[in-house]
Amino acid sequence: MLQRLSADDPRFKTATFTRGMNLVVADTTTGSSDTDSRNSAGKSSLIELIHFLLGARADKRSLTARKALCDITFCLEMDWPDVGDLKVWRSGSQPGVVRIDPGIGEPDDDVIFALDSPSELTVERWTRLIERDLFKLREDHLGVSGRTMLSFLARRVSAHGFNEAIRTFSRQAEADATTNLAYLLGLDWQLADGYRQLAARKATRTQLRKAVNDPVWGRIVGSTADLRGQITLAQAQVERLQAQIAEFQVVPEYERVKEAADGIARRIKQLAQDDVIDQSNLEELQQAITEASDVEVDYLEPVYQELGVILNDQVRRRFEEVQTFHHSVVRNRRRFLEAEISDINGRLEERRAERSRLGEEQARLLRLLHEGGALEALTALQQALAREQATLEALRHRYEAAQTLEASARQITAQRLQLQQAVITDLDERAQQTAEATLLFSQYAQRLYGQGREAYLAIQAGPSSLQIRPHIHSDDSRGIGNMVIFCFDLTIAVLAHRHGRGPDFLIHDSHLFDGVDDRQLAAALTLAADVANEEGIQYIATLNSDDLDKAARRGFDAAPYVREPRLTDAMETGGLFGFRF
């Protein structure tokens, strides 16, 4: 229950509240002109400040972030469960810090206890305390938020909270809203949250589908057909490297063996070059032997006879000596050439034998090198295998993601049908809770419009969310639409408080009563006062004085419920803050 809203700025008009109905009224002053407006008197700002002190997110667009207000520290005094009086301070200059007095247990403590001195805590921790103590949420509760539920119990005009009964802001997803409403109404909120999870999956799938079609981002996931081919090639590469490693033998003194093989190769090359030289020399020697023959001189004597020259015996003897010498020279040359040829043939044969021996040794060394290698080579092979295996694993993960993506549409559809059936079954099992909510809503609506007006809560399992539809038969006028919200809020506030799922207050802004018929306005205020008294809760509403006058003319006595401050449209000091900005 809220008790007091104040600030450390003396110009601020402190607001006080009590149990039951509390009306904060904005008057027109006698000196106000037609251009003055009570829209800036601070009625909606009062609700904004309560939200701010109860953990609302603060950004540069927030009320308390304005230059004129950011240095003001605001304070909310309230009755806290199992603790008693509690004060909360927060300022726009340090929006991330909340100070409370007395300090209370951490959000994960099983026992709530009060400390002797104030304590500072983050807004996140303060929000968890609100969820634990005001809404009794002690375990993990994804999909249910204390801040969202507070927004149903204190709707904000700035968030367009009066546009629709089941939403607290204009773009709120129905699955998010109805999950929180399911908790307040005592339904299975975890089942209702399944719709939100499916919606999140569908949104993710939509984004991934867009990414797959993108020429750049598509490479991150890809299609199953492309990835299947890439996996086949990568698998073959891994198997090839695994086979090489399995057959690999580490050769001791690998470098020495490799150097010996290289030396043999160089020797064989040198032998081949020597063979070429000797073979050329052999051909020249064989040609020389052919040309080395005796010179014919028998023709000389007949020639001389024809010339009439008679060769005597002495001359003839000299020719024979010359001929004998020439034959000796030829024989010696032939013998020398034959010896050289023999040497060359011997060298060729020796080299041929050496080449044969070296060829066998070279083959042995090359076979050894081919079958094995150095330890460094094995390490390099193993590193290459690790890289290929990592690539293969990444491709498999992408393939699984692509498969999941392609199958996700069918899975989401199937899970949605299963979830819808589970919610239908749960609603049947919780007929008592749905009947209590429907009857209470109908009772409140009939208090406003009479027994003959059709009014009910339609709660059913929809295809994309739990559907909660408050309905009052009407001509769709704005006033009746606002009263639908009024009755709906009163219903969820009462049920949540009755069953220990929510706090004991409900706050309505004056905008809710815009366009409401005099009779329904008086009936609504009377109903709120009666329900607050019967249920032991607090109802706070801000009103313009002329609306209150309309209700008074219909028999509503507001005097017991009007609280301080009494706001006015006075230009300078009449508003909640005591100055205009």
Side-chain angles (χ1 to χ4, degrees):
M1 184 170 296
L2 309 183
Q3 299 172 356
R4 191 168 182 264
L5 176 64
S6 60
D8 61 2
D9 188 318
R11 296 171 293 180
F12 185 82
K13 293 180 174 59
T14 299
T16 57
F17 311 104
T18 64
R19 185 176 296 275
M21 173 175 274
N22 297 262
L23 300 178
V24 178
V25 181
D27 292 314
T28 56
T29 59
T30 56
S32 61
S33 66
D34 293 339
T35 58
D36 291 331
S37 170
R38 285 168 295 178
N39 288 338
S40 57
K43 302 186 301 297
S44 297
S45 296
L46 180 108
I47 299 173
E48 290 290 337
L49 289 176
I50 292 174
H51 269 287
F52 178 68
L53 288 160
L54 291 178
R57 186 180 65 181
D59 54 31
K60 61 183 180 181
R61 296 173 297 178
S62 301
L63 173 68
T64 53
R66 298 187 183 184
K67 185 177 180 180
L69 301 180
C70 66
D71 291 328
I72 300 176
T73 299
F74 298 95
C75 175
L76 178 65
E77 299 174 38
M78 59 191 302
D79 180 50
W80 196 261
D82 300 321
V83 173
D85 294 341
L86 179 75
K87 291 184 178 181
V88 184
W89 292 272
R90 191 181 180 193
S91 72
S93 59
Q94 289 185 299
V97 177
V98 174
R99 188 160 58 96
I100 60 175
D101 182 24
I104 55 179
E106 296 293 328
D108 53 354
D109 290 340
D110 291 331
V111 179
I112 304 171
F113 58 93
L115 304 178
D116 294 334
S117 59
S119 64
E120 286 190 352
L121 59 160
T122 63
V123 174
E124 290 74 18
R125 288 175 57 195
W126 173 231
T127 301
R128 291 200 299 273
L129 284 171
I130 290 172
E131 291 176 338
R132 184 193 71 177
D133 297 345
L134 297 188
F135 294 97
K136 310 306 179 186
L137 290 167
R138 290 180 174 269
E139 300 177 354
D140 292 338
H141 48 272
L142 290 176
V144 175
S145 161
R147 285 294 320 146
T148 300
M149 289 187 285
L150 278 174
S151 295
F152 278 110
L153 299 176
R155 294 178 185 263
R156 304 160 74 180
V157 174
S158 61
H160 307 287
F162 296 102
N163 289 359
E164 191 176 353
I166 65 164
R167 287 183 171 87
T168 60
F169 58 91
S170 56
R171 295 186 179 181
Q172 185 176 25
E174 185 174 13
D176 292 339
T178 54
T179 298
N180 287 273
L181 288 173
Y183 179 81
L184 293 172
L185 291 171
L187 305 178
D188 191 333
W189 61 270
Q190 292 174 315
L191 269 180
D193 186 53
Y195 286 109
R196 182 189 61 82
Q197 297 175 20
L198 283 177
R201 283 189 59 190
K202 184 177 180 180
T204 301
R205 180 186 180 278
T206 300
Q207 294 302 317
L208 285 175
R209 289 300 306 171
K210 292 179 180 178
V212 168
N213 295 329
D214 185 271
V216 175
W217 288 103
R219 300 174 188 172
I220 297 176
V221 179
S223 67
T224 54
D226 293 340
L227 289 169
R228 195 177 294 113
Q230 295 174 24
I231 288 172
T232 300
L233 296 178
Q235 180 67 44
Q237 177 70 356
V238 166
E239 291 173 355
R240 184 180 65 81
L241 288 172
Q242 287 175 334
Q244 288 183 1
I245 291 174
E247 297 172 358
F248 194 92
Q249 297 179 3
V250 177
V251 178
E253 302 179 356
Y254 178 85
E255 293 300 328
R256 183 187 63 77
V257 174
K258 183 175 180 298
E259 184 178 350
D262 292 341
I264 290 175
R266 289 193 296 272
R267 178 58 182 162
I268 292 174
K269 182 178 180 181
Q270 184 61 47
L271 290 174
Q273 292 174 349
D274 292 344
D275 276 358
V276 170
I277 295 172
D278 280 350
Q279 194 68 40
S280 177
N281 291 336
L282 180 62
E283 291 176 358
E284 291 180 359
L285 289 173
Q286 288 174 341
Q287 182 66 30
I289 287 178
T290 302
E291 294 174 352
S293 58
D294 293 337
V295 179
E296 295 292 335
V297 294
D298 293 341
Y299 69 90
L300 291 176
E301 186 172 356
V303 170
Y304 278 109
Q305 287 176 357
E306 289 179 4
L307 294 174
V309 179
I310 303 299
L311 298 177
N312 58 27
D313 293 338
Q314 185 178 2
V315 173
R316 194 177 283 111
R317 190 169 52 254
R318 295 282 295 184
F319 271 115
E320 289 174 356
E321 291 174 356
V322 171
Q323 189 175 14
T324 300
F325 173 76
H326 182 71
H327 285 317
S328 175
V329 170
V330 170
R331 281 195 307 274
N332 289 338
R333 178 173 173 76
R334 186 184 295 277
R335 191 179 299 116
F336 172 77
L337 293 174
E338 289 175 349
E340 286 294 317
I341 289 173
S342 178
D343 288 344
I344 290 174
N345 284 329
R347 290 198 300 274
L348 288 171
E349 184 61 32
E350 288 175 0
R351 285 196 290 270
R352 189 178 299 109
E354 185 178 2
R355 274 201 309 274
S356 177
R357 178 179 59 79
L358 290 175
E360 292 178 359
E361 179 64 13
Q362 184 186 43
R364 185 184 70 81
L365 294 177
L366 291 176
R367 192 163 51 250
L368 184 63
L369 293 174
H370 178 71
E371 293 174 354
L375 182 60
E376 292 81 0
L378 176 60
T379 302
L381 277 175
Q382 290 172 334
Q383 290 174 344
L385 175 61
R387 288 193 299 270
E388 292 299 329
Q389 286 176 328
T391 300
L392 176 59
E393 193 64 22
L395 287 171
R396 284 173 175 165
H397 283 308
R398 289 174 58 194
Y399 181 74
E400 291 174 2
Q403 274 189 320
T404 302
L405 179 60
E406 292 177 3
S408 59
R410 298 186 299 273
Q411 293 172 352
I412 290 172
T413 300
Q415 290 176 4
R416 181 180 288 116
L417 292 174
Q418 292 175 358
L419 177 61
Q420 189 173 2
Q421 184 57 52
V423 173
I424 291 172
T425 302
D426 182 71
L427 290 176
D428 290 339
E429 294 173 352
R430 296 176 189 264
Q432 182 178 348
Q433 287 89 336
T434 56
E436 182 183 16
T438 299
L439 291 174
L440 199 61
F441 177 82
S442 178
Q443 175 188 332
Y444 294 159
Q446 289 178 358
R447 284 278 300 270
L448 301 185
Y449 293 100
Q451 294 297 320
R453 185 64 61 96
E454 182 184 56
Y456 56 85
L457 279 181
I459 303 175
Q460 62 180 355
S464 57
S465 73
L466 172 67
Q467 293 181 347
I468 301 174
R469 297 283 186 269
H471 172 76
I472 298 176
H473 182 71
S474 68
D475 55 3
D476 294 328
S477 67
R478 178 185 175 188
I480 293 183
N482 286 356
M483 288 300 94
V484 169
I485 296 175
F486 174 85
C487 294
F488 182 70
D489 290 354
L490 200 58
T491 299
I492 61 175
V494 167
L495 291 177
H497 179 252
R498 275 184 188 177
H499 302 287
R501 292 187 296 268
D504 56 358
F505 57 82
L506 174 64
I507 306 173
H508 277 151
D509 189 279
S510 61
H511 289 78
L512 179 64
F513 304 105
D514 290 346
V516 176
D517 183 83
D518 297 0
R519 291 168 296 178
Q520 277 68 54
L521 177 59
L525 294 176
T526 302
L527 173 63
D530 292 345
V531 170
N533 182 58
E534 294 167 2
E535 300 290 341
I537 65 173
Q538 182 181 56
Y539 181 78
I540 300 173
T542 63
L543 281 171
N544 291 323
S545 57
D546 51 357
D547 285 331
L548 198 59
D549 291 341
K550 289 190 296 185
R553 288 194 294 270
R554 289 291 180 174
F556 176 72
D557 182 11
Y561 311 117
V562 176
R563 304 287 177 251
E564 294 294 335
R566 189 96 178 191
L567 306 176
T568 71
D569 57 3
M571 189 62 183
E572 293 301 326
T573 61
L576 178 68
F577 298 97
F579 63 96
R580 293 300 175 97
F581 54 91

